[in-house]
Amino acid sequence: GAAVSPTGGGGGRARAAPIPVVRVAVLAEAGFPAADVAGGEPAARPAAVAAALQGHRVEFLAAADLDARLLPGSCDVFVSPYGSAFPLAGWPAIKRYLDAGGSWLNLGGRPCAVPVERGADGAWRAGPAATTWHEQLGIVLACAVPTAAVTAWRANEDLPWTSGLERDAAAATVWELYYRLSSVPDTPGESGSAGAEEAVVRPLVRGYDAAGRAVAAPLVLVDRVEREFAGGRWIFATSDAALPAAALRTLVEAAARGPRRFASRPSYACYRAGETPVVSVAYRGAPRSGDGAAAVEATCRLTLLDERGTVFAQVPVPVRGTEALATGSADFATSLSGPLAPGLYRLDAALDLPDAGRGGRSLRHTTGFWVWDGRLLAGGEPLGAGAFALTRAGAPFVAAGTTYMASDVHRKFLFEPNPWLWDRDFDAMRRAGVNLVRTGIWTQWTRVAPEPGAPDEAALRALDAWLLTARRHDIPVIFTLFAFLPETWGGENAYLDPRAVAAQRAFVSAFARRYRGMHDLAWDLINEPSFCNAEHLWSCRPNGDRFEREAWAAWRRGRGLAPAPLPPLEAFAAGAPAADSDAVPEYRLFAQAMFERWVREMRGAIAAAGNPRQLVTVGQDEAGTRDSPNNLFLAPALDFTCIHTWWLNDAILWDEVMTRAPGTANLVEETGVMFSAHPPGVEARWEAYARDLLERKMALAVGPGGAGFVEWLWSSNCYMPSDNEAAIGLLRADGTAKPELEALRGVAAFVAAAQRHLVGREEEPVLMVVPHSNMFSSDDTATAATKAAVRAMAYGCRVGLGAVSEFAVSARARTVPPLVLVPASRVLRREAWRALRAWARRGSRVLVTGPLDQLRPDAARAAAGPSGVVRMPVGQGALLWAPQAVELGGDPAATVALYRWALSDAGIVPPLEAGAFAGLLHAARYRDAVLITAVAPTGEGDAAAPAPLRVRYHDGHRAFDVDLPAARVNLVLCRRLDGAILARYPAD
């Protein structure tokens, strides 16, 4: 980033040279209210600004003047002094001024959040706060952050001119702003495309808590450098602090400078032994009044240091050009006494631009590079996959992870690498308890590899450096190769065109070959895949191309089915006529088979070119609980499966149950909180809500799930051209931590303390057969039925359950589940029905609800159960049939009652008792320990507040009580022998 000094750099606010007169336009309106800002009466604010700006030209603008006088180029800085309040009638003029690249200082609160209008009586009245207006400026949300935890305020050391501002920034409340700083995608045809880096956010002052974490930024600078609002510098005083005259002057003069960019970059992010580093530098100014051709002649000082701070070389770099662009480059060939040893190196770049009459500019940038260290890369302990969780070096490894690419350029980390920044971020992640990081390529595959078998060398060197940085901090990596639909490199069908598949194999092989020596690297073949129509992502729809038609015909022949055309798109709509929809379930089965074939192709490429012991998975989202590529079909082709828990916040546990195949670990590989859930324009208390929701998702991934979680995303990606996507992350764009980070730190600490005890987990006593024949039809009732079943069994009965597809049920014929649940199936394939009867003969109770063609009760052998339920003894077990699909009846109590009767008939005793507690209670039994998860009910207001809870555990051999504190989520690991507490969250 650039450090810009309006007062000549170091020395705080002492001037090295006089700056030009700044033309300042100040909104000044008698009787205008202020909001979210402290310090004096609103009427006195414009005069206070003017008094602070002696020597500059200050012009007062009434709200009625804005349209005529706040014109592009009319002033150097526009100052709005009323905090969150702004004149609604003046909004078009303010927006027009900012659109043209105007600079802006907003004093207090949330910029442009509280509209103010003049009533018929001439008085100004403030309306309700809304996001409607500041969303148009790329400010997605504004969240109030109390600063009681702040113990120190610090100015930004990278911006020397901010020295002293920390003395003026202390505040009771800071409004933290969430930014979207990109308006268009780089690659419009790619769903995961990043956008142009249109602005840069820099905190001027941050508040730190006792642990040294930045938690609030009361003064923030936004340099608008490209496209929307280009040429403007915005400074926001986002707190209720009253800024003194000296601080106001500093901020106005800084805003008047306009945006500046300065960066240095090595030719490669990772050099091989004997190669000489070459470094380029670039400066871009913000010329005013058409002085874009103004010459720039300066010298940049490059300093090369190792990780211990030892200086290896200093090189002067002439920088020549204009304010529009000035560049320079240098190598270290003559400055180094010998080859650099393997390791991480830091590059400090300093550029001092003489600027007569304008105060000078002092800019700094730090980057770095690696010298290849093959021993370090190969030094990680190997990852493995168990039945419930991953392993590392043979020991249980429960993931407490996050997703990270880079905190500056995010998805462009392979094109604009900064290993020095990565190292700082990995250090922060490790200190937060992160033990796994996911990264990968979400966009621009043809830029990474114009020829699929020969990726760009600079991009590969960047990945070398990234993986070395992860290894330096001993953090395993999941690397994602494709997203949504795999790149085709000119092919017609992403999965079925041999040309496309061959290109994908070559691409995957190139990466597998380069990193075959790594042991703690796993491959995620594709993020959130769909099959197969690019216009219907996250759904299963035909593409209709010749390759798909040929594969469909061959697949039907192989199953002994008559020839038939691909079903039309309209056949997939709910309630489609039977004539149109008969082929829909068959197409969805075909899609599962074809995607599994593609997975095996890519896995074969990795094994042939790279390290066959590296784990392979597919990162599927909640579409995989329906008709997209589904874990219950894919599990045999993968080492472990994944689920991304995003939208279905009332069915988080169902997400996990429906996507874990028996005997296969199922990692919650992406989880977080979608911010687009609030109504447009409406403000919400999002940060506390997001923390609590993320906490629940992490706890369910660790407790009932068992494999753990990978949170999305460490640093908010403000360069996604999506208001929703740009808001997600543990760190805000200004580098401050959201409350979500504290939840992750706590759960990660629990995982670190508990995971060595998580050996020998038992399968759940109830197995739900997912009726995919129903679910894959155009009249799907199975989704609702299975959701109701999971909630009734897990919440109402406090008994855990697993799941298997009816199309894979025969694969479990060697096991005998105590209770098998088949909810609202309507129809089952014959092989599944035979397997169910075989289980019953060997002792299972098989509970079937709703009409089922295969079930013909024999009145002579049937015995009536409760409320008309039929019990038919079969061998050592029984078939239990409730003719009504109770899960679809709308009465959860009836479903719970039926399930309790079935559990009793199967001899299953719920392991946990807690009186009338209405939340989730789950016991995961391990060889020597039991992990109890308690999730309090959610809701609004005090009625939903959790209370202390006593839980009794019993397993038929021993029993003990566990006291849980008042918390929304509790994780308690107890020794099975005597109930001794081994680990808990929240910590004591």
Side-chain angles (χ1 to χ4, degrees), residues 482-508:
F482 296 106
F484 313 123
L485 284 176
E487 177 61 51
T488 64
W489 280 277
E492 293 182 44
N493 186 294
Y495 298 111
L496 302 173
D497 181 347
R499 176 184 174 187
V501 174
Q504 294 154 6
R505 283 183 60 98
F507 179 79
V508 167

Side-chain angles (χ1 to χ4, degrees), residues 178 219 225 248 264 365 462 465 480 497 557 592 658 749 916-917 959 973:
Y178 289 28
L219 294 172
V225 294
L248 290 174
S264 58
H365 185 258
T480 303
D497 181 347
R557 286 196 302 272
Q592 301 295 333
M658 289 287 288
F917 178 70
L973 185 69

Side-chain angles (χ1 to χ4, degrees), residues 127 186 312 334 489 524 658 672 733 741 768 820 987:
D186 291 330
F312 277 73
T334 61
W489 280 277
D524 179 346
M658 289 287 288
L741 178 58
M768 179 174 66
V820 179

Side-chain angles (χ1 to χ4, degrees), residues 385-407:
F388 275 91
L390 301 182
T391 64
R392 195 175 187 205
F397 182 74
V398 176
T402 189
T403 312
Y404 174 81
M405 295 159 204
S407 59

